[in-house]
Amino acid sequence: DQQVKQNSPSLSVQEGRISILNCDYTNSMFDYFLWYKKYPAEGPTFLISISSIKDKNEDGRFTVFLNKSAKHLSLHIVPSQPGDSAVYFCAASANGNAGGTSYGKLTFGQGTILTVHP
Amino acid sequence: KAGVTQTPRYLIKTRGQQVTLSCSPISGHRSVSWYQQTPGQGLQFLFEYFSETQRNKGNFPGRFSGRQFSNSRSEMNVSTLELGDSALYLCASSLLGEQYFGPGTRLTVT
């Protein structure tokens, strides 16, 4: 049972345009969501996170939106740059605000390969 | 501040052997989590340690074990290696919600 899903295996975007990466989850206990960027043979790099008490969080070119009723979150990158090309993972955890705790456990989606063309 | 470090970076072992991987967290971080990444299963949670105690465990067989020392450094051990244990093993440390990952140890079992 995949509790965090990224339904788009890949996304191709032109430099300067917006990249939108999507993620769906099924577990109602999840109350904290994160996005990571990963290059092959390296560890994931933390990008941005959002708590379930918010519906939007911004950090520079990165904005994460959370729609709790739809159990959906998205990462917007504006403007996209060729250096953004990588695999993007969304992850979720239960930190106790929604009735459950999963100490130190992140549940990851399968990842989306983003390619930004010059 | 130094990031999460993992040693060794690459390892080749033979089926049936055992292996120990090491992780040093970011200074001040007391929680260390371990993950396995494979092409077929993605990133899967192994276990988490906090103040030398295992607080959470994923769905892996008992061959996978770990421990944490008083300085928060952590080790994971895999006994009786199988071919399917070939993977990138990642550790992450955290202070609050965000986890910061090390570069990983690439384990190849032949």
Side-chain angles (χ1 to χ4, degrees):
Chain A
D1 172 32
Q2 201 170 343
Q3 299 185 48
V4 178
K5 294 180 186 179
Q6 294 175 255
N7 292 317
S8 298
S10 63
L11 175 67
S12 183
V13 172
Q14 208 65 32
E15 181 179 5
R17 304 296 290 269
I18 184 172
S19 295
I20 300 176
L21 298 111
N22 294 302
C23 180
D24 297 296
Y25 63 96
T26 57
N27 190 338
S28 299
M29 298 292 193
F30 289 148
D31 55 12
Y32 193 70
F33 305 89
L34 309 90
W35 284 93
Y36 286 87
K37 173 182 177 180
K38 189 178 184 303
Y39 296 110
E42 292 184 11
T45 299
F46 169 72
L47 286 174
I48 192 169
S49 62
I50 188 167
S51 165
S52 59
I53 61 173
K54 293 185 173 182
D55 54 19
K56 178 182 173 181
N57 189 26
E58 285 181 84
D59 185 0
R61 296 186 298 116
F62 302 94
T63 303
V64 57
F65 295 92
L66 175 62
N67 183 332
K68 278 194 299 182
S69 61
K71 293 191 174 68
H72 177 84
L73 64 154
S74 61
L75 174 68
H76 292 209
I77 306 174
V78 183
S80 302
Q81 300 172 352
D84 295 330
S85 298
V87 181
Y88 287 76
F89 290 92
C90 70
S93 67
N95 288 347
N97 294 326
T101 57
S102 58
Y103 297 113
K105 177 181 179 180
L106 293 180
T107 301
F108 283 86
Q110 292 297 96
T112 296
I113 301 170
L114 173 65
T115 304
V116 180
H117 299 283
Chain B
K1 205 179 237 188
V4 178
T5 58
Q6 291 187 245
T7 57
R9 291 293 312 277
Y10 302 93
L11 206 49
I12 300 175
K13 289 286 188 178
T14 303
R15 195 169 45 181
Q17 288 185 315
Q18 77 162 17
V19 67
T20 299
L21 312 180
S22 181
C23 172
S24 291
I26 293 171
S27 177
H29 288 192
R30 294 167 66 188
S31 169
V32 174
S33 299
W34 287 89
Y35 295 84
Q36 180 197 65
Q37 185 184 26
T38 58
Q41 297 298 317
L43 279 150
Q44 304 262 303
F45 172 77
L46 282 155
F47 30 64
E48 186 255 5
Y49 285 87
F50 181 87
S51 292
E52 302 178 65
T53 301
Q54 186 183 90
R55 289 198 302 186
N56 202 353
K57 189 176 187 307
N59 297 324
F60 279 81
R63 300 185 297 107
F64 292 81
S65 62
R67 59 177 176 167
Q68 187 180 35
F69 302 94
S70 58
N71 61 358
S72 294
R73 190 177 69 85
S74 177
E75 288 181 347
M76 70 163 279
N77 184 77
V78 188
S79 62
T80 320
L81 283 165
E82 299 177 359
L83 295 178
D85 296 333
S86 294
L88 181 66
Y89 289 89
L90 294 156
C91 86
S93 74
S94 66
L95 186 62
L96 297 172
E98 297 95 23
Q99 291 189 11
Y100 296 90
F101 284 81
T105 294
R106 168 69 63 184
L107 172 65
T108 302
V109 182
T110 61

